[in-house]
Amino acid sequence: MKKIWCLASILVLIAGVFTACGQNNQLETQVISNMDKEYYSQLAEEGVEINVANWGEYISDGSDGESINVVKAFELLTGIKVNYINYATNEELYAKMKAGASNYDIIIPSDYMISKMAGENMLAHIDFNNIPNYNNISDDYKGLEFDPEDKYSVPYFWGTVGIIYNKNVIKDDNFDWEILWDEKYKDNMLMFDNPRDAFAIAQIRLGYSLNTEDTKELEKTAELLKEQKGLVQAYVMDEIFDRMGAEEAVVAPYYAGDAVSLMAEYDFLGFKVPDSGTNMFVDSFCIPATSKNKKAAEMFINFMLEPEIGLANTEFVCYSTPNTKTYELLSDQVKNDGISYPSKEYLNSKTEAFKCLGSGADKVMSELWTEIRSEVNIDL
Amino acid sequence: MKKIAAAPYQLWMAIFVIVPLFIVAYFAFTTDSGAFTLENIIKTADYAPIFARSIGFAALATVICLIIAYPLAYIIANMSKNVQSTMIMIVMLPMWMNFLLRTYAWQTIIGNNGIINNLLSMVGIEPIKMLNTSGAVILGMVYDYIPFMILPLYTVMAKIDKSIMEAAGDLGCNGFQSILKVTIPLSMPGIISGITMVFVPAISTFIISKMLGGSSNLLIGDLIEMQFLGTSYNPNLGAGISFVLMVIILIVMAFINLIDKSDQEEKVII
């Protein structure tokens, strides 16, 4: 008898945990109330499921209690079930797709990876007739180099790369990329843990194109990165959030949008987009060629382009939006902070977007990166 | 009848052990277009220093685990039965938590602004650099894998008949001598399986070095991860490195089993 009670109370506990999670969806219901019901209910009765693969922390998920859970809102509106999966780098996404085990319907790779995937026939042609909200995208972000004919991708966010620094330690923001080679910050700097972004920084310093395919130039770039290695505390991606926030490190290159959200949380952090130039990136929605639910995927993209949904995502993620209707809804403070939306002049003259490297240069870069990362120096 | 009962297990072994081994070998000896090559294996030689470091770290972590775990297992095995099970539960307790979380916790403990350094600064001692060093990686390995050393040691020691120890005492051994001449030889199978269970996962670990080792403590597991999921996509090279690593582990295990066989009839399965 005692055992039954024990079991019963455990069940009650577990049930409690689950019901606690099933909060009300007031915000979500509200935001979808004036959307095109007819369009969004097309697949409602078919029990469709889509697999969405996205970067970590790259969608409004309601986790802070005030924002909208965008995925939930989409499910409520369309009756389509969304399985949401995270990845950390473009290369990881590529590897997972190449391995063949993934069945994603929506992926959000960056510029250079889009052209690489398109070149390898990994992406489906998007039917823009199913995405009426595509009109919301600013012409500045259409027909970009990685997808000149706008066949495979719909821009989600864009941004620049800059330097996050601890204002308590680095008082003067009169620095450029050299700061990442400054002995003063030995063991206190972080660096990108992916070859493209890491190489880009060294390439800007050397005055090379970010898309150079010249083996000599790539080798020189790798030399510069090896020189830096002794100063680097760790090669990380999203771990930057923790390490900069806990003051474990004082300077790190990262994406502008993440810098904005970090700065909102820790007021001792600053961000600078170096004057000498930087990489501008675009992350876009794509549909893998293997998708079996293309129509539902297109509906998801259309939903993400709704002005209010775009606003929720932009406010949560803090990256820069290519959606003109969403941009209009932003507060002046965000529009003019100088970080998220740099001047057109700077963007046009000082930034370069990544293009897909030819397979030869791509291989050289991968090998050089392995070499940089695997160089041995013992420090017990 | 026995054969039929074993069939599902044999099938399982074939699908999930044998076949993957062949797939790894296939990738290791081919190029990305599928042609035969030895390049992946030859290239592994470039990473010899990383192999050396991984083996060194894993060996050091195993030795430290053994030194810490042996007396502990001995003490637990000589406690009263009730206390024993509580103690073993305490040993297991950290394993109820996610492995990543436990490793992550060390970042906050040994970081430059971590708990230890904060305590030190309170008494006026300069902060010590602990995180992002090789020492931190070994610490992480010892911490994460020590239960795998304690458990087999304890299991073997708990089975040693107390009267044998008493007999050793009666025949003139002091406490230390009887441990040396009776307990250690009798607990050899536990030592061997403990070593195996710590050394093998430690040599191929990747996340510990990534989280605690900083920029310059890349281990062989990290290198393999980079080739598959990470930032330099080359599964053929990754498979080549894995293949060489398997061979190395196999050789090391053969050696350990050889030591074991010389004075024990009980064999340990790798």
Side-chain angles (χ1 to χ4, degrees):
Chain A
M1 198 57 204
K2 214 168 153 192
K3 269 189 190 157
I4 293 174
W5 277 116
C6 222
L7 199 68
S9 48
I10 289 170
L11 283 178
V12 169
L13 257 175
I14 293 171
V17 170
F18 280 109
T19 45
C21 297
Q23 9 66 325
N24 57 359
N25 303 313
Q26 214 180 348
L27 283 172
E28 286 77 13
T29 331
Q30 205 181 347
V31 75
I32 60 176
S33 59
N34 48 10
M35 288 182 192
D36 184 351
K37 291 267 155 31
E38 199 184 321
Y39 167 82
Y40 283 115
S41 58
Q42 292 174 69
L43 300 167
E45 306 301 322
E46 293 173 29
V48 181
E49 282 188 28
I50 55 171
N51 301 317
V52 176
N54 191 4
W55 302 78
E57 309 262 333
Y58 213 40
I59 192 168
S60 172
D61 62 4
S63 59
D64 56 2
E66 301 160 9
S67 59
I68 299 165
N69 183 334
V70 167
V71 168
K72 185 105 218 170
F74 178 74
E75 289 181 331
L76 283 174
L77 181 62
T78 61
I80 295 169
K81 190 174 176 303
V82 175
N83 301 314
Y84 189 77
I85 306 128
N86 279 334
Y87 57 90
T89 63
N90 281 306
E91 288 74 15
E92 182 189 337
L93 175 69
Y94 176 82
K96 282 184 174 162
M97 286 173 65
K98 270 282 159 177
S102 55
N103 49 345
Y104 305 137
D105 298 299
I106 292 273
I107 53 173
I108 308 179
S110 312
D111 31 50
Y112 70 97
M113 192 49 78
I114 293 170
S115 49
K116 181 170 174 166
M117 287 175 168
E120 296 180 25
N121 295 324
M122 293 164 74
L123 301 179
H125 284 241
I126 293 176
D127 183 353
F128 287 92
N129 293 328
N130 290 334
I131 308 181
N133 285 337
Y134 188 61
N135 293 331
N136 296 350
I137 298 286
S138 155
D139 285 339
D140 293 345
Y141 304 98
K142 285 179 184 169
L144 295 172
E145 282 154 328
F146 55 85
D147 186 10
E149 292 164 56
D150 285 326
K151 277 187 191 160
Y152 306 104
S153 64
V154 176
Y156 180 35
F157 280 121
W158 62 274
T160 52
V161 175
I163 298 170
I164 305 179
Y165 63 99
N166 187 322
K167 286 193 275 194
N168 295 336
V169 181
I170 303 169
K171 301 241 156 61
D172 175 10
D173 81 339
N174 190 19
F175 56 77
D176 211 294
W177 291 113
E178 298 90 71
I179 196 168
L180 296 172
W181 274 262
D182 190 335
E183 295 272 346
K184 250 193 297 184
Y185 306 112
K186 183 176 187 317
D187 285 335
N188 278 318
M189 71 174 71
L190 303 172
M191 189 64 187
F192 278 119
D193 190 16
N194 78 69
R196 236 20 239 274
D197 283 321
F199 271 67
I201 292 170
Q203 280 161 339
I204 295 165
R205 280 206 62 193
L206 292 166
Y208 299 151
S209 158
L210 308 188
N211 298 306
T212 181
E213 300 198 348
D214 183 305
T215 307
K216 278 241 166 59
E217 289 192 352
L218 287 171
E219 277 167 358
K220 282 236 176 76
T221 313
E223 279 309 310
L224 192 59
L225 289 171
K226 275 187 200 163
E227 221 174 89
Q228 182 199 30
K229 186 180 176 183
L231 310 175
V232 173
Q233 181 189 89
Y235 291 93
V236 291
M237 293 302 292
D238 277 352
E239 244 191 277
I240 278 180
F241 289 83
D242 290 330
R243 295 207 186 208
M244 292 300 291
E247 299 190 63
E248 284 293 329
V250 300
V251 58
Y254 219 55
Y255 310 116
D258 291 312
V260 173
S261 38
L262 258 176
M263 283 157 68
E265 204 174 331
Y266 305 101
D267 50 15
F268 56 85
L269 292 180
F271 184 74
K272 171 153 189 188
V273 182
D275 297 333
S276 63
T278 189
N279 161 236
M280 181 205 155
F281 58 85
V282 181
D283 296 332
S284 302
F285 298 104
C286 294
I287 304 177
T290 51
S291 167
K292 293 191 183 71
N293 302 301
K294 196 158 161 268
K295 200 159 181 209
E298 282 158 353
M299 196 180 277
F300 184 83
I301 296 175
N302 191 59
F303 182 74
M304 295 295 271
L305 299 185
E306 294 281 352
E308 295 82 14
I309 296 299
L311 180 69
N313 283 329
T314 309
E315 284 178 344
F316 189 88
V317 176
C318 302
Y319 278 58
S320 319
T321 180
N323 187 326
T324 48
K325 293 239 172 89
T326 297
Y327 183 76
E328 282 163 20
L329 297 173
L330 288 175
S331 70
D332 287 340
Q333 197 201 335
V334 175
K335 284 186 207 167
N336 302 325
D337 68 356
I339 295 175
S340 303
Y341 301 92
S343 71
K344 274 246 152 65
E345 193 194 341
Y346 180 85
L347 285 177
N348 291 336
S349 63
K350 290 289 183 188
T351 61
E352 189 176 358
F354 286 145
K355 270 184 273 184
C356 170
L357 298 181
S359 63
D362 200 33
K363 210 167 169 207
V364 172
M365 188 186 269
S366 287
E367 279 168 12
L368 287 170
W369 179 245
T370 309
E371 206 179 298
I372 295 164
R373 294 284 283 110
S374 62
E375 231 188 8
V376 171
N377 22 2
I378 295 274
D379 54 336
L380 263 173
Chain B
M1 195 58 213
K2 231 181 188 173
K3 263 190 187 157
I4 297 169
Y9 301 102
Q10 283 166 352
L11 191 71
W12 178 274
M13 289 275 278
I15 296 175
F16 293 106
V17 180
I18 311 292
V19 173
L21 278 179
F22 275 105
I23 296 175
V24 170
Y26 171 78
F27 269 88
F29 289 103
T30 49
T31 64
D32 51 3
S33 52
F36 177 81
T37 177
L38 283 174
E39 195 198 339
N40 298 316
I41 305 291
I42 295 164
K43 227 183 181 169
T44 304
D46 293 351
Y47 305 115
I50 300 199
F51 273 96
R53 173 158 62 194
S54 299
I55 295 169
F57 282 14
L60 194 56
T62 312
V63 170
I64 296 171
C65 278
L66 185 61
I67 292 170
I68 299 173
Y70 200 87
L72 182 64
Y74 182 80
I75 294 165
I76 296 177
N78 285 301
M79 287 171 163
S80 74
K81 275 276 172 277
N82 289 336
V83 187
Q84 274 186 26
S85 50
T86 317
M87 293 302 285
I88 286 302
M89 200 188 80
I90 293 172
V91 168
M92 300 278 290
L93 199 64
M95 294 171 73
W96 298 0
M97 266 177 289
N98 183 289
F99 166 83
L100 277 181
L101 201 64
R102 278 182 283 145
T103 313
Y104 183 65
W106 278 107
Q107 284 190 352
T108 27
I109 297 173
I110 62 176
N112 294 336
N113 292 313
I115 297 172
I116 294 178
N117 275 327
N118 272 334
L119 288 176
L120 288 181
S121 71
M122 265 187 238
V123 289
I125 300 172
E126 283 284 297
I128 304 167
K129 186 190 168 193
M130 290 174 284
L131 188 64
N132 307 317
T133 61
S134 306
V137 178
I138 294 168
L139 172 78
M141 286 180 178
V142 169
Y143 175 75
D144 281 322
Y145 298 127
I146 202 162
F148 297 110
M149 185 65 92
I150 297 174
L151 291 178
L153 283 175
Y154 160 77
T155 317
V156 171
M157 284 188 200
K159 277 193 293 191
I160 297 175
D161 195 338
K162 296 280 172 305
S163 56
I164 300 178
M165 295 292 283
E166 283 160 18
D170 288 345
L171 294 170
C173 277
N174 60 30
F176 179 71
Q177 281 172 323
S178 56
I179 289 178
L180 202 68
K181 299 215 155 142
V182 179
T183 314
I184 291 186
L186 284 179
S187 60
M188 213 54 189
I191 296 177
I192 299 295
S193 69
I195 289 176
T196 315
M197 287 172 74
V198 172
F199 184 75
V200 174
I203 200 174
S204 56
T205 185
F206 66 98
I207 202 72
I208 297 176
S209 45
K210 204 170 182 174
M211 290 174 94
L212 303 177
S215 62
S216 47
N217 280 296
L218 195 90
L219 295 184
I220 207 70
D222 300 288
L223 193 61
I224 296 171
E225 192 240 356
M226 276 173 76
Q227 310 305 325
F228 284 98
L229 271 189
T231 46
S232 4
Y233 184 68
N234 187 351
N236 300 92
L237 178 60
I241 301 169
S242 304
F243 190 79
V244 173
L245 182 64
M246 276 196 290
V247 173
I248 292 175
I249 293 178
L250 206 67
I251 294 170
V252 173
M253 285 305 109
F255 262 107
I256 294 175
N257 276 351
L258 216 63
I259 302 168
D260 186 31
K261 241 185 258 171
S262 60
D263 53 6
Q264 287 291 329
E265 60 287 301
E266 265 191 80
K267 265 205 287 176
V268 184
I269 297 153
I270 297 168

